[in-house]
Amino acid sequence: MAQTDPTAPAVAGGTARPPVTGRLHSWDLSTGVDGPGTRFVAFLSGCPLRCAYCHNPDTRHLRDGHPCLAEEIVREAAKYTGFIRASGGGATVSGGEPLLQPALTGELLHRFKHELGLHTALDTSGVLGARATDALLADTDLVLLDIKSWDRALHRRLTGVELAPTLAFARRLAGLGTEVWVRFVLVPHLTDPAANIEGVAAFAAALGNVTRVDVLPFHKLGAAKWSALGLDFPLAGTPVPTAEQVAAARAVFTGHGLYAV
């Protein structure tokens, strides 16, 4: 059988598509955390945020990944489509921040959806939401949207960027009717004040397109990566939240009529 030439224009939906290149950090198969079912997850390199609790600091820079063609990533995902479909899963483009590479992100979402017939998800902070074209979002079935904090000053201190672009992107998704899962990381002594959680919950509930909220307990599993990069982990002395604290945060979201896990 003839081998596919990865440099040849891809054909998806009957239309020839020119090669799209970018930088991929890694890929994985995951269940339950990157969208529904078992999913092929492409982790793209580069992120403009500098989150204090980042568990993948090795994806910060574009140079942290390796050059690749969208075709190569799609071909890898195609190996698992039978297994993925049987689980009710799909494919997710994550990072880093995938919208730092909007051309590659858009191409992957398009081909995952139209060529492989998979449910698609975009995992993003929304900070670069303005880079997401209407076509990219039309190929996105679900957005996993990280809202780091409702308190603007805390958001900037935690991430190094402003909150406003994330909120603007969330409102745009609501206007399009795109399904959203909100992700909120619960960090004791930082993001856990009642007013902060209440602010995120009220905003998410008002959007009308948020079908799930993931309250993610802060953890230190990425501390070794910070050390390997010669960086000090900013939250090394911060405790992980208790089960009771996590349950209390989830209750705030459910109190607003949202499904929270």
Side-chain angles (χ1 to χ4, degrees):
M1 179 180 293
Q3 297 296 310
T4 302
D5 178 1
T7 65
V11 178
T15 302
R17 301 176 67 83
V20 175
T21 62
R23 299 190 73 91
L24 175 74
H25 179 270
S26 57
W27 67 268
D28 199 2
L29 292 175
S30 72
T31 301
V33 295
D34 297 291
T38 298
R39 307 188 72 82
F40 179 92
V41 186
F43 297 96
L44 307 191
S45 297
C47 184
L49 283 70
R50 293 295 178 263
C51 296
Y53 50 69
C54 180
H55 61 280
N56 287 318
D58 51 331
T59 65
R60 282 183 173 183
H61 306 290
L62 285 171
R63 66 174 181 268
D64 294 330
H66 59 273
C68 68
L69 286 156
E71 167 70 22
E72 296 172 305
I73 302 171
V74 174
R75 188 186 305 152
E76 191 65 39
K79 298 176 183 178
Y80 307 97
T81 52
F83 177 62
I84 289 170
R85 290 195 192 99
S87 74
T92 300
V93 184
S94 185
E97 170 49 65
L99 291 178
L100 191 65
Q101 300 188 65
L104 178 59
T105 296
E107 181 69 7
L108 290 175
L109 290 167
H110 182 87
R111 296 193 61 193
F112 287 152
K113 185 178 183 70
H114 297 285
E115 183 174 323
L116 301 185
L118 296 177
H119 175 277
T120 56
L122 172 67
D123 181 7
T124 177
S125 67
V127 169
L128 299 179
R131 296 190 179 189
T133 64
D134 290 343
L136 183 154
L137 294 178
D139 289 329
T140 304
D141 296 313
L142 171 69
V143 173
L144 309 174
L145 183 64
D146 295 319
I147 301 182
K148 315 289 185 178
S149 169
W150 187 249
D151 181 296
R152 273 62 167 176
L154 175 60
H155 190 280
R156 176 144 194 102
R157 195 164 84 246
L158 273 176
T159 69
V161 300
E162 301 294 337
L163 174 62
T166 295
L167 302 186
F169 186 57
R171 295 186 182 102
R172 180 182 172 197
L173 294 172
L176 292 170
T178 304
E179 183 182 5
V180 168
W181 289 7
V182 165
R183 289 175 155 184
F184 175 76
V185 180
L186 185 68
V187 186
H189 314 309
L190 284 173
T191 67
D192 64 341
N196 191 48
I197 301 171
E198 175 70 24
V200 176
F203 176 76
L207 291 172
N209 62 327
V210 176
T211 59
R212 168 170 161 159
V213 177
D214 287 309
V215 177
L216 305 174
F218 161 69
H219 61 74
K220 303 179 184 181
L221 299 179
K225 292 183 180 180
W226 286 75
S227 179
L229 294 170
L231 302 172
D232 293 326
F233 183 44
L235 302 184
T238 301
V240 299
T242 64
E244 291 75 18
Q245 288 172 318
V246 175
R250 287 177 179 147
V252 176
F253 288 99
T254 59
H256 280 269
L258 296 163
Y259 171 63
V261 295

